[in-house]
Amino acid sequence: MDVVLENMPMILEGLKYTIYYSIASIVLAIIIGLIAAIMKLSQSSFLKGIASIYVEIFRSTPLLVQLFFIVFGLAGVLPLNEWFGQRSYPIIAATLTLALHQGAYISEIIRAGILSVNKGQREASESIGMTEFQTMRFIILPQAFKRMIPPLVNQSAQAIKDTSLLAPIGIIDLVYRGQIIISTTFEPFAIWITIGIIYFILIFSISQFAGYLERKMRLDTR
């Protein structure tokens, strides 16, 4: 415990970065997922095809491979480090990769939520002269998002777990800080169990919150 207490400031600093990356990637993922879902539901075969390719690529390849490709692979053929900065680009690229990965899953959640809304709602809005954009914005999405909240919260918990893969590419987070502490203290058991407990508290809390929302949604729809 002495080792853990002595290094707690560094552990908490790593936790801070993990939370930052999680929030940024989740917000971006919801935006990306919404755009991809609307594209897949559009009448345009071209938009459907682009969205389907994006979803399949990011759902069918490991996140770690995606991180290495976007952070290091693209930087090897394009001067991205010069454009964004040697220190800034890996952080920006890693956060964007997390968002693209999560966005592929969130797009399916949003698409399912939109399709769950009764078709009569769309027909009624069209009958009173609302445009497709107005129908989606004011009629479909508000009802769909209410049903999507629980699975979106669960996906947010997955996004927090996924940040642990930032350490292998050299991004400072909770796991990265843990590796540094272990390299100087040679106490892997104490440090890893502490980090595991922190992740458990974060993700268990979010999972419980998602369960609460799911129960509340069921009660509200009765």
Side-chain angles (χ1 to χ4, degrees):
M1 284 301 296
D2 290 340
V3 173
V4 173
L5 293 175
E6 288 173 7
N7 292 280
M8 188 56 70
M10 187 177 289
I11 292 172
L12 292 178
E13 183 188 17
L15 174 61
K16 177 183 71 175
Y17 285 115
T18 290
I19 292 172
Y20 286 165
Y21 298 142
S22 299
I23 293 173
S25 63
I26 290 165
V27 171
L28 283 173
I30 291 173
I31 296 170
I32 292 169
L34 176 59
I35 294 171
I38 292 174
M39 288 173 66
K40 289 192 76 172
L41 292 170
S42 71
Q43 301 299 318
S44 169
S45 299
F46 175 75
L47 293 179
K48 281 183 180 179
I50 294 295
S52 296
I53 291 170
Y54 153 67
V55 170
E56 291 304 320
I57 287 175
F58 279 91
R59 290 184 64 178
S60 303
T61 55
L63 174 55
L64 189 58
V65 173
Q66 296 166 15
L67 285 165
F68 275 111
F69 174 75
I70 294 177
V71 176
F72 300 118
L74 290 182
V77 295
L78 295 172
L80 297 173
N81 287 314
E82 296 178 15
W83 295 348
F84 297 98
Q86 191 75 33
R87 298 182 64 182
S88 299
Y89 172 70
I91 296 173
I92 295 170
T95 304
L96 180 60
T97 305
L98 288 174
L100 288 168
H101 182 81
Q102 292 299 326
Y105 291 90
I106 288 175
S107 69
E108 293 302 292
I109 294 173
I110 294 176
R111 188 170 70 93
I114 291 172
L115 291 175
S116 70
V117 178
N118 193 302
K119 290 183 179 179
Q121 302 276 344
R122 186 186 297 271
E123 294 169 356
S125 63
E126 289 174 354
S127 69
I128 60 174
M130 295 181 73
T131 65
E132 183 69 23
F133 176 77
Q134 290 173 327
T135 300
M136 185 63 68
R137 179 182 176 186
F138 297 111
I139 305 297
I140 306 298
L141 286 180
Q143 296 180 68
F145 268 118
K146 186 176 180 181
R147 303 174 187 183
M148 289 186 288
I149 288 175
L152 285 176
V153 174
N154 276 324
Q155 196 62 41
S156 299
Q158 181 62 46
I160 294 174
K161 288 189 283 187
D162 286 345
T163 60
S164 63
L165 293 175
L166 296 180
I169 61 171
I171 304 295
I172 297 174
D173 72 329
L174 184 56
V175 173
Y176 186 86
R177 285 301 190 198
Q179 290 174 331
I180 292 175
I181 295 168
I182 290 167
S183 68
T184 57
T185 62
F186 303 101
E187 293 286 350
F189 180 81
I191 301 303
W192 284 129
I193 198 169
T194 301
I195 290 173
I197 289 169
I198 292 172
Y199 272 114
F200 174 79
I201 291 171
L202 277 175
I203 295 164
F204 181 76
S205 300
I206 292 173
S207 298
Q208 291 299 302
F209 181 59
Y212 164 76
L213 288 175
E214 193 168 358
R215 291 191 298 272
K216 186 173 177 58
M217 293 301 105
R218 280 203 299 263
L219 289 173
D220 290 344
T221 54
R222 286 180 180 177

